[in-house]
């Protein structure tokens, strides 16, 4: 793994599962790289993390099958797979809980009254967040981050690249866009980068490098530097964070300092709301 510069199971009788089984042979004839893998309920001892990874892999394969059907101009098959995706999204607890959490925040439902003498017809934001923590902690981390250190602001936005991913082979490709803005009174130069990349299984890798995308940019006060890069993962979800080593170029003999890159998610499911940078 290098930085390159939701709790739901498809029930055996569900429409999505039956449709997948019916479409598997047709899609395989068009592309050997597309393999249907339906998630099913595991043993009682299975971890929620493994279950979540199986479901998101199924989601990725469905999306890839839709792309293959569309490219081959089999619009009937594409419509069938699109219906499977819609059903999956409606039944998938992570997607459902994220939608409910967003609605609760919009309606300012922040307190859960456990003392209520009758069952509540809706929950508060905190309870939805607690449920998400149990079944898919990665889903709570947004696909964007924004942090400022000593006047240097770093904004990041990540996105899943379906066309370069191969879910059947355990390859998920993510691109990210970064904007570095110098809001300080001093010109700075970016010397080195350090990334901490963690996949959904908890495997962590540290990546160091000189500059970014082959440059060691000089950023004047009030100016920004933007670039795009990418990161492949072996799981459909993960996270990145890190820092840039910078120096104040007008101060002779000044020490370098680290600028924080706040954590952000690498997620096949993406965000309900994007972050513009």
């Amino acid at each position: 793994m290098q930085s390159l510069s939701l709790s739901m199971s498809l029930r055996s009788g569900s429409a999505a599962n039956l449709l997948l089984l019916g479409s598997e042979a047709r899609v395989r004839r068009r592309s050997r790289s597309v393999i249907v893998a339906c998630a099913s309920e595991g043993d009682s001892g299975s971890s929620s993390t493994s279950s979540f990874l199986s479901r998101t892999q199924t989601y990725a394969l469905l999306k890839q099958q839709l792309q293959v059907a569309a490219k081959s101009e089999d619009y009937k098959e594409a419509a069938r797979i699109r219906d499977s995706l819609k059903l999956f999204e409606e039944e998938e607890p992570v997607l459902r809980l994220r939608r409910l959490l967003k609605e609760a925040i919009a309606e300012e439902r922040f307190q859960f009254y456990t003392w209520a003498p009758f069952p509540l017809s809706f929950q508060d934001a905190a309870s939805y967040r607690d449920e998400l923590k149990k079944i898919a902690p990665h889903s709570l981390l947004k696909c964007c981050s924004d942090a400022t250190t000593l006047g240097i602001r770093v904004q990041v936005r990540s996105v899943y690249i379906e066309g370069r991913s191969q879910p059947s082979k355990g390859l998920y490709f993510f691109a990210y866009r970064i904007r570095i803005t110098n809001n300080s009174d001093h010109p700075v130069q970016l010397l080195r980068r350090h990334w901490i990349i963690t996949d959904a299984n908890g495997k962590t890798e540290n990546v160091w490098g000189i500059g970014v995308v082959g440059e060691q940019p000089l950023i004047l006060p009030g100016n920004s530097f933007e670039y795009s890069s990418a990161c492949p993962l072996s799981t459909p979800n993960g996270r990145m964070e890190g820092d840039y080593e910078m120096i104040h170029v007008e101060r002779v003999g000044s020490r370098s300092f680290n600028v924080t890159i706040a954590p952000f998610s690498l997620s096949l499911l993406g965000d309900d709301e994007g972050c513009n940078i």
Side-chain angles (χ1 to χ4, degrees):
M1 175 173 54
Q2 296 179 346
S3 176
L4 301 181
S5 310
L6 211 135
S7 168
M8 174 264 187
S9 296
L10 289 177
R11 296 185 292 273
S12 59
S14 71
N17 201 18
L18 292 173
L19 179 56
L20 282 172
L21 292 174
S23 63
E24 179 177 359
R26 286 189 294 274
V27 177
R28 276 182 172 170
R29 282 197 295 269
R30 298 185 185 92
S31 174
R32 293 184 180 180
S33 64
V34 179
I35 302 173
V36 177
C38 294
S40 60
E41 291 193 28
D43 298 333
S44 58
S46 300
S47 69
S48 60
T49 298
S50 297
S51 179
F52 178 60
L53 292 180
S54 297
R55 294 192 306 274
T56 48
Q57 184 181 49
T58 299
Y59 188 68
L61 288 166
L62 275 169
K63 292 186 70 175
Q64 192 173 64
Q65 285 188 350
L66 177 61
Q67 186 180 50
V68 170
K71 285 184 177 180
S72 63
E73 298 184 355
D74 187 342
Y75 301 116
K76 182 178 180 180
E77 183 67 14
R80 288 164 59 87
I81 298 173
R82 187 179 296 111
D83 289 342
S84 292
L85 273 169
K86 288 181 180 179
L87 181 59
F88 189 99
E89 291 168 353
E90 290 174 0
E91 295 182 344
E92 170 51 53
V94 171
L95 295 175
R96 179 179 59 81
L97 285 170
R98 281 171 49 168
R99 174 178 57 80
L100 293 172
L101 174 60
K102 180 182 176 182
E103 292 174 356
I105 292 174
E107 296 171 6
E108 298 185 353
R109 287 187 272 120
F110 301 118
Q111 188 172 3
F112 184 55
Y113 297 99
T114 57
W115 47 264
F118 52 86
L120 296 177
S121 59
F122 56 85
Q123 293 176 269
D124 69 324
S127 61
Y128 291 132
R129 185 175 291 109
D130 288 343
E131 289 185 56
L132 278 170
K133 283 182 180 179
K134 292 179 182 178
I135 64 174
H138 279 90
S139 68
L140 292 173
L141 186 62
K142 294 184 70 64
C143 292
C144 58
S145 70
D146 190 338
T148 299
T149 306
L150 298 177
I152 310 302
R153 182 182 184 186
V154 179
Q155 298 167 274
V156 188
R157 178 73 173 111
S158 70
V159 63
Y160 174 64
I161 306 299
E162 183 177 328
R164 297 190 63 180
S165 299
Q166 299 182 59
S168 61
K169 297 182 179 180
L171 173 62
Y172 303 86
F173 199 85
F174 299 91
Y176 53 90
R177 180 76 178 172
I178 297 184
R179 175 187 293 162
I180 305 169
T181 304
N182 185 354
N183 292 323
S184 75
D185 297 326
H186 310 283
V188 298
Q189 185 174 19
L190 193 160
L191 303 178
R192 299 176 181 83
R193 69 185 183 278
H194 170 218
W195 285 111
I196 304 171
I197 307 169
T198 306
D199 68 17
N201 294 321
K203 180 181 177 181
T204 297
E205 182 176 355
N206 286 270
V207 179
W208 289 268
I210 302 297
V212 291
V213 291
E215 299 184 47
Q216 291 182 304
L218 175 65
I219 310 174
L220 299 177
N223 288 5
S224 297
F225 177 82
E226 297 186 20
Y227 73 96
S228 297
S229 191
C231 177
L233 279 185
S234 60
T235 60
N237 300 279
R239 60 183 283 161
M240 288 181 68
E241 58 194 295
D243 57 78
Y244 295 122
E245 182 183 350
M246 295 190 176
I247 192 169
H248 290 115
V249 294
E250 89 284 16
R251 299 177 182 176
V252 178
S254 64
R255 292 186 176 182
S256 62
F257 60 98
N258 291 334
V259 173
T260 297
I261 308 169
F264 60 93
S265 174
L266 303 173
S267 175
L268 180 151
L269 301 177
D271 289 329
D272 292 330
E273 294 181 350
C275 300
N276 297 320
I277 65 168

